[in-house]
Amino acid sequence: SVPGIGPINALTILAEAGDLRRFPHHRQFLKFCGMDLATVQSGMFRGQSRISKYGNARLRRTLWMAGQTAVLQRTNSFRDKFERYIAQDRHNPHLRRKAYTAVAAKMARTIHAVIKSGDPYRPFFEGVSPGGRTPLCRAVEAVR
């Protein structure tokens, strides 16, 4: 039910990663995928942070493709994140590549949470409602 994840991508993720419940924290799963940030540094030199790519390449590629598919769909939180990321310069290919990587990492965190909790995926749209209040605040006020 996660946007961008079809039956083939789901099977590939489960086949490559195994039981995701063995990772107590989503950062461990990101490291297994090779999507954690790594910085090359020596002495006073500190390079740029990049993804490490020390993990499973097939899993990373599957998450990348699923992220691209999710961004192409109409409305979901993955597309929202992508649009916010590239808002500065929509035509910068380097920025778009970084945005796709951020979406793939978000997808990995979401998949880990869905499988670990056992609950179905619930879409979460980030942002403020037009009235400036979140629906949760209205629900609390209705209870009072």
Side-chain angles (χ1 to χ4, degrees):
S1 62
V2 178
I5 301 288
I8 294 174
N9 283 343
L11 288 174
T12 304
I13 290 168
L14 292 177
E16 292 294 330
D19 188 13
L20 296 181
R21 292 175 290 190
R22 67 188 168 125
F23 301 107
H25 201 270
H26 67 83
R27 285 191 201 121
Q28 293 173 330
F29 179 57
L30 284 176
K31 190 163 182 107
F32 181 80
C33 297
M35 299 190 83
D36 58 323
L37 294 178
T39 305
V40 176
Q41 49 189 357
S42 173
M44 297 298 290
F45 172 76
R46 183 180 176 136
Q48 293 181 346
S49 294
R50 303 172 185 222
I51 62 171
S52 67
K53 295 188 180 179
Y54 281 125
N56 190 323
R58 286 189 200 108
L59 187 56
R60 194 169 48 252
R61 180 177 178 268
T62 301
L63 290 169
W64 176 273
M65 289 173 38
Q68 285 183 327
T69 304
V71 166
L72 293 175
Q73 293 177 355
R74 278 200 185 269
T75 55
N76 55 47
S77 60
F78 301 108
R79 183 181 176 117
D80 293 343
K81 183 176 184 79
F82 181 80
E83 292 294 332
R84 275 195 322 274
Y85 210 100
I86 65 166
Q88 298 168 355
D89 184 9
R90 297 189 63 79
H91 303 291
N92 183 351
H94 181 63
L95 189 62
R96 292 180 78 83
R97 191 169 37 252
K98 285 171 68 173
Y100 279 123
T101 303
V103 167
K106 178 176 181 167
M107 186 159 288
R109 290 189 303 270
T110 304
I111 290 168
H112 179 261
V114 166
I115 290 178
K116 190 169 180 181
S117 68
D119 296 334
Y121 172 75
R122 293 179 314 168
F124 175 73
F125 296 101
E126 300 170 5
V128 181
S129 64
R133 295 180 162 176
T134 59
L136 180 62
C137 294
R138 290 184 191 149
V140 171
E141 289 175 2
V143 172
R144 291 183 193 172

